[in-house]
């Protein structure tokens, strides 16, 4: 989690600086590991991020794929997700875009988008469908993550994504080991939340506050 002014610009720079770092092989046999960062936005911030990208990324220097509305799916493929530097979507797209939901259901043979179905699909080669939840991302970046913590549907959608690293951006991070801070457990992949000292350690290790 990051608290910052200019946090969008900071994240765009960090994404570019780290995109050449090699990725280890996926530990679970996933055939669709991407070196891209998946950025998940609230709907009201899509235009702002687009403007920031135009401002800080030179034309053609960064490969950006947008999946925020149905028409974005027309020419999109899994190959686009795997070759991108940045992929941008929204929780609304993941949950409510009819074209995407129907395509995902068809790809999974009618099975719900659950961990088991996505994992099985991702171990099979030669899929073309741009199934965001099946990709193992270099990182997932969630802007205004405090809003995600307050929306059960968005939190469920976030838990279906598979990143090597998860970044949550907010100007109002929870910095104390209170009940509200337990939402930060979503930043962990394997740890269980019941250990008495884990939450305080998580906050100390994973929350960074900066004025940029």
């Amino acid at each position: 989690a990051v608290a910052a002014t200019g946090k969008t610009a900071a994240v765009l720079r960090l994404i570019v600086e780290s995109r050449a770092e090699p990725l280890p092989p996926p530990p679970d046999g996933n055939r669709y590991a991407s070196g891209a960062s998946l950025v998940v936005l609230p709907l009201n911030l899509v235009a702002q991020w687009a403007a920031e990208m135009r401002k800080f990324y030179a034309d053609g220097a960064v490969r950006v794929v947008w999946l925020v509305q149905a028409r974005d799916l027309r020419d999109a493929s899994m190959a686009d997700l795997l070759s991108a530097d940045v992929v941008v979507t929204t929780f609304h797209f993941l949950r409510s875009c009819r074209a995407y939901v129907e395509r995902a259901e068809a790809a999974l043979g009618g099975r719900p988008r659950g961990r088991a179905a996505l994992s099985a699909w991702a171990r099979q080669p030669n899929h073309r469908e741009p199934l965001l939840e099946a990709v193992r991302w270099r990182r997932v970046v969630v802007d205004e993550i405090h809003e995600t913590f307050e929306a059960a549907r968005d939190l469920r959608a976030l838990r279906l994504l598979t990143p090597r690293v998860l970044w949550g951006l907010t100007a109002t991070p929870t910095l104390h080991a209170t009940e509200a801070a337990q939402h930060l457990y979503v930043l962990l992949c394997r740890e269980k939340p019941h250990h008495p000292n884990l939450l305080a350690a998580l906050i100390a290790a994973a929350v960074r506050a900066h004025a940029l």
Side-chain angles (χ1 to χ4, degrees):
V2 177
T5 56
K7 62 183 186 294
T8 303
V11 168
L12 292 177
R13 176 176 176 174
L14 289 169
I15 286 173
V16 169
E17 288 181 345
S18 63
R19 62 179 170 168
E21 295 174 2
L23 292 173
D28 52 4
N30 188 312
R31 301 288 188 114
Y32 305 100
S34 177
S37 295
L38 176 67
V39 179
V40 189
L41 303 176
L43 275 174
N44 65 312
L45 293 183
V46 169
Q48 174 190 321
W49 274 74
E52 293 284 280
M53 287 185 179
R54 288 192 298 269
K55 179 178 179 180
F56 293 107
Y57 288 167
D59 289 344
V62 180
R63 294 165 294 180
V64 182
V65 173
W66 292 83
L67 288 177
V68 297
Q69 50 190 324
R71 67 183 182 185
D72 295 333
L73 284 169
R74 291 174 187 168
D75 299 317
S77 69
M78 179 60 78
D80 295 322
L81 305 186
L82 301 184
S83 63
D85 296 310
V86 184
V87 178
V88 184
T89 192
T90 68
F91 283 120
H92 183 269
F93 179 89
L94 293 170
R95 290 188 286 100
S96 304
C97 175
R98 182 175 178 180
Y100 181 73
V101 171
E102 290 179 351
R103 185 173 295 194
E105 288 178 353
L108 295 173
R111 291 171 293 174
R113 273 181 291 169
R115 282 284 188 182
L118 290 164
S119 179
W121 190 89
R123 289 194 296 271
Q124 302 167 6
N126 304 320
H127 286 306
R128 289 184 48 81
E129 300 89 344
L131 193 52
L132 293 159
E133 295 93 339
V135 175
R136 182 175 177 82
W137 301 97
R138 178 186 293 274
R139 71 174 59 80
V140 169
V141 180
V142 182
D143 202 357
E144 303 296 356
I145 197 169
H146 61 280
E147 295 181 3
T148 305
F149 292 155
E150 296 167 0
R153 293 188 303 169
D154 291 350
L155 200 54
R156 285 195 296 270
L158 175 59
R159 290 183 183 279
L160 289 180
L161 300 173
T162 306
R164 291 185 65 249
V165 178
L166 173 62
W167 289 354
L169 310 182
T170 176
T172 56
T174 300
L175 300 176
H176 303 286
T178 62
E179 182 176 349
Q182 294 189 34
H183 288 301
L184 293 173
Y185 286 128
V186 76
L187 299 172
L188 301 178
C189 293
R190 300 181 182 276
E191 298 289 349
K192 295 183 178 180
H194 60 265
H195 191 283
N197 297 322
L198 182 57
L199 184 55
L202 174 61
I203 292 172
V207 177
R208 292 291 181 269
H210 296 291
L212 302 176

